[in-house]
Amino acid sequence: MQFDGQALSTGTAFVVSTPKGPYLITNRHNVTGRNQETDAPLSKTGGVPNLIVIFHNQKGLLGRWVPRLVLGILDRATVMNRSVARCFETSPRAIASGR
């Protein structure tokens, strides 16, 4: 998880296939960057994630991680209300090139 390109933390998640396409399943605090009970920021910097980079194992090379997807959180209020986060997807190359 990152805030404006600054690393805040790492977390775990998994992807499930559904009839509507793949879904990323993770804990709420990974997306909000806040304590579930107190709503205080988890990062010592006080930053909360506005960008999530998802890494997968490289095919045939278990343990070698490659960025496969970048999610930018568009609607923080939706996440804070404990609903489904609306995100956009882009490639890691697009983020690196500033697109």
Side-chain angles (χ1 to χ4, degrees):
M1 281 58 74
Q2 299 177 8
F3 175 76
D4 290 344
Q6 178 182 349
L8 295 174
S9 64
T10 60
T12 59
F14 58 94
V15 178
V16 296
S17 295
T18 74
K20 293 183 178 182
Y23 275 67
L24 179 73
I25 308 296
T26 190
N27 287 303
R28 178 180 173 271
H29 69 268
N30 286 332
V31 178
T32 64
R34 295 183 176 275
N35 180 291
Q36 177 71 18
E37 302 298 321
T38 66
D39 206 36
L42 295 172
S43 172
K44 294 175 186 174
T45 67
V48 294
N50 61 4
L51 188 70
I52 299 172
V53 180
I54 300 172
F55 290 84
H56 292 267
N57 279 298
Q58 185 170 346
K59 187 174 182 177
L61 295 172
L62 187 62
R64 181 168 178 173
W65 299 96
V66 292
R68 301 292 294 187
L69 185 64
V70 176
L71 300 175
I73 301 168
L74 292 178
D75 188 347
R76 171 83 35 210
T78 300
V79 175
M80 297 311 292
N81 289 326
R82 301 176 186 197
S83 299
V84 176
R86 290 187 305 208
C87 297
F88 68 90
E89 301 176 14
T90 189
S91 72
R93 286 189 201 124
I95 293 295
S97 68
R99 289 191 210 156

